[in-house]
Amino acid sequence: MEETELAAAAVRARAASGAGVESDDRFRAIVEEERERVAGAVALAELLAPMLSERLLALAPAHAPAAGPAPRKPGARAPVDGRGIADYIDEMLAYERAGSP
Amino acid sequence: MSTLTLEKPPVPPSTPSAASAPTAPRPPAAKASSLIIGLDLGTNKSCILAGAPGSTDITVSKVVPTVVGYVKDGIVDGIITGNVRILFGEDALRQRLHVELVAPLAQGVIAHPGAARDFMQHVRLLADPSGRAEIRAVVGVPANAGEQAREAVRRAAQGIFARILLIPEPFLAALGFRDDSRVKQSGYVDPVVNSLFIDIGAGTSDLCLVQGYFPTREDQISIPFAGDAIDGIIHEELNRTYPNNGLSRLSVREIKEAYAYVGPSRKPLDVKVVIGGKGRTLELGDAIGNACNVLIDKVYPALTALIGYASSDSVVALLQNIIVTGGGSQIRGIDTVLQKRLADDGYESPRVRLAGQDFQRYVALGALKAARAARENQWQVLLE
């Protein structure tokens, strides 16, 4: 951009206002000032990004796996307590009768 | 030869018991007319527990190799004790030169119906030497066993057991692993209410989410890769590295059972073997480690898939109750490697435990508990 659009705009401005050492110096100063501002912003971003990432991970649900989670079963049942073994067998037999292996 | 044993099940100390010592007399014949059996019919080993209905005692507890030996033609009289034509378990293995060994099961299901039926007869004889008792049996079947596999078990038991009930093995393992004396104690995490069982056998590795309801198909994953497949990989690698070694698959299994491990290489791992009558030392660190690590690569994705199926309310407690059982639980480091992988993947404080030295009995123990609790109308009658 600096080499194409900005350079072309500088040429047009110089031609319109009349070229002079003073305007060239002022143009270079503006470009230099902008370059430092962008460099400062990049450095700040590089510094802040890891800190921000850590903060976001800490806020995420604690049990979420970092990679490759399996899709959650639709309508997953919550654990049930206090049932007898015969109740489980009833459930199994009903499940078998329903035609599942 | 097989002998009967009498032992106490893991019940509260205050529970009254009819038989309190190993030498307790057998119940009167009239009361011994019915018997219940919990049977873990495994590919390589089977566990048989038996006792009287209405009691908490276990009168028979046997772990036997699931193998039938048919005596070869032309064997001279007297070579085989009693000149019997069929041997079972350890007896068959001891006479392997003189018998044709048949494994009734392959990958957890019946592969040889005739041998399976003969083996069932043997199971019956172990549980009831008199042959007079009416027997009801709860038999473990692999998770996701299809109707064909279930029907094969029923056919093998027809005319041998009076009634039968087939229940998935991982659920039985959870029932067997449950410490009934602590179920009502605060702080005790009941494996039947919230746990994940990894049952690594010879033919299949079965994973099952047990959350207080009967596990459905979605709660169970059966992987056709387990101990036998590991033996195959080690055997192949041995034949590549040490050609003409002459080691049988049985010898390879024995080596695996003695040295199996997962995780980083434990090379050098020197194993003494006898080849052609001469003692040799083979370095098997990588051969064993690489083969066993394949099991981790197969089991781990299934484990995370089942964890993902658990409800968000229960998953944190579930992660504290992951239990490895079956022969695969004897692989060194399997609990720590699985636990580390879960932790590395960000799961919250996972805890993977081994079922312990009783790993061979939990399925049968769960089956016996189920047999004792089953209602009359839940049994399936096997017509002769």
Side-chain angles (χ1 to χ4, degrees), chain B residues 72-314:
Chain B
K72 293 174 181 171
D73 289 338
I75 298 295
V76 179
D77 278 4
I79 294 288
I80 308 290
T81 308
N83 290 326
V84 295
R85 302 304 303 163
I86 308 178
L87 296 172
F88 300 93
E90 297 287 357
D91 293 339
L93 292 175
R94 268 195 296 273
Q95 296 284 356
R96 71 183 71 169
L97 278 180
H98 306 118
V99 301
E100 184 199 344
L101 289 175
V102 178
L105 277 77
Q107 297 203 322
V109 297
I110 289 176
H112 294 96
R117 196 165 165 72
D118 288 335
F119 190 77
M120 286 288 196
Q121 289 278 15
H122 178 60
V123 167
R124 191 204 147 95
L125 199 64
L126 288 176
D128 172 38
S130 76
R132 289 195 297 268
E134 183 199 85
I135 294 182
R136 297 180 178 195
V138 168
V139 184
V141 291
N144 296 343
E147 184 48 36
Q148 203 178 343
R150 290 164 163 269
E151 185 57 24
V153 176
R154 289 188 201 103
R155 283 181 186 276
Q158 207 164 19
I160 298 169
F161 304 143
R163 293 175 192 224
I164 197 170
L165 199 49
L166 307 181
I167 299 181
E169 286 160 3
F171 186 72
L172 292 179
L175 270 184
F177 189 70
R178 173 196 240 178
D179 184 346
D180 295 326
S181 67
R182 296 182 60 204
V183 166
K184 289 194 167 39
Q185 284 179 7
S186 64
Y188 178 68
V189 184
D190 184 351
V192 177
V193 172
N194 198 8
S195 66
L196 201 158
F197 268 77
I198 306 171
D199 182 4
I200 303 168
T204 59
S205 298
D206 294 337
L207 292 90
C208 184
L209 199 57
V210 184
Q211 295 204 293
Y213 52 84
F214 194 81
T216 62
R217 192 178 188 178
E218 290 76 26
D219 298 314
Q220 305 177 64
I221 296 176
S222 187
I223 304 165
F225 186 98
D228 286 352
I230 293 175
D231 296 345
I233 295 175
I234 296 173
H235 206 178
E236 250 176 50
E237 182 60 18
L238 262 171
N239 289 337
R240 197 182 63 79
T241 318
Y242 302 99
N244 305 317
N245 59 66
L247 291 171
S248 68
R249 183 63 69 90
L250 201 61
S251 303
V252 172
R253 188 196 300 167
E254 286 167 1
I255 291 170
K256 177 201 68 183
E257 286 175 353
Y259 297 97
Y261 75 93
V262 289
S265 174
R266 297 189 182 188
K267 195 176 177 180
L269 200 164
D270 294 331
V271 178
K272 288 184 178 171
V273 295
V274 177
I275 299 173
K278 296 178 182 175
R280 277 190 65 181
T281 300
L282 310 180
E283 199 293 302
L284 298 180
D286 284 345
I288 292 174
N290 292 342
C292 294
N293 280 323
V294 175
L295 178 71
I296 295 288
D297 293 339
K298 304 264 186 193
V299 164
Y300 186 73
L303 172 61
T304 54
L306 283 185
I307 291 171
Y309 288 158
S311 70
S312 56
D313 293 338
S314 65

Side-chain angles (χ1 to χ4, degrees), chain B residues 28-108:
Chain B
K31 288 188 178 177
S33 60
S34 64
L35 194 67
I36 55 171
I37 291 180
L39 175 59
D40 176 8
L41 193 59
T43 303
N44 281 343
K45 283 181 182 162
S46 293
C47 181
I48 304 131
L49 300 179
S55 159
T56 55
D57 293 335
I58 298 174
T59 52
V60 176
S61 172
K62 296 290 298 178
V63 176
V64 294
T66 315
V67 64
V68 182
Y70 295 98
V71 177
K72 293 174 181 171
D73 289 338
I75 298 295
V76 179
D77 278 4
I79 294 288
I80 308 290
T81 308
N83 290 326
V84 295
R85 302 304 303 163
I86 308 178
L87 296 172
F88 300 93
E90 297 287 357
D91 293 339
L93 292 175
R94 268 195 296 273
Q95 296 284 356
R96 71 183 71 169
L97 278 180
H98 306 118
V99 301
E100 184 199 344
L101 289 175
V102 178
L105 277 77
Q107 297 203 322

Side-chain angles (χ1 to χ4, degrees), chain A residues 14-27:
Chain A
R14 213 177 283 131
S17 63
V21 176
E22 194 180 332
S23 60
D24 281 355
D25 286 349
R26 185 169 158 70
F27 176 73

Side-chain angles (χ1 to χ4, degrees), chain A residues 3-100:
Chain A
E3 289 169 1
T4 55
E5 290 176 40
L6 182 62
V11 169
R12 281 199 300 275
R14 213 177 283 131
S17 63
V21 176
E22 194 180 332
S23 60
D24 281 355
D25 286 349
R26 185 169 158 70
F27 176 73
R28 271 195 293 274
I30 291 171
V31 169
E32 193 57 35
E33 192 181 327
E34 283 303 304
R35 189 173 283 142
E36 281 179 22
R37 197 176 65 82
V38 169
V42 168
L44 192 65
E46 286 175 351
L47 200 69
L48 285 178
M51 294 167 69
L52 190 65
S53 170
E54 275 179 30
R55 180 69 62 91
L56 286 173
L57 277 176
L59 290 173
H63 60 268
R72 191 168 295 285
K73 180 172 66 172
R77 290 179 282 180
V80 178
D81 205 348
R83 303 175 62 211
I85 294 172
D87 297 327
Y88 296 121
I89 297 173
D90 265 344
E91 210 168 45
M92 178 191 80
L93 296 172
Y95 184 66
E96 285 175 2
R97 274 195 295 272
S100 302

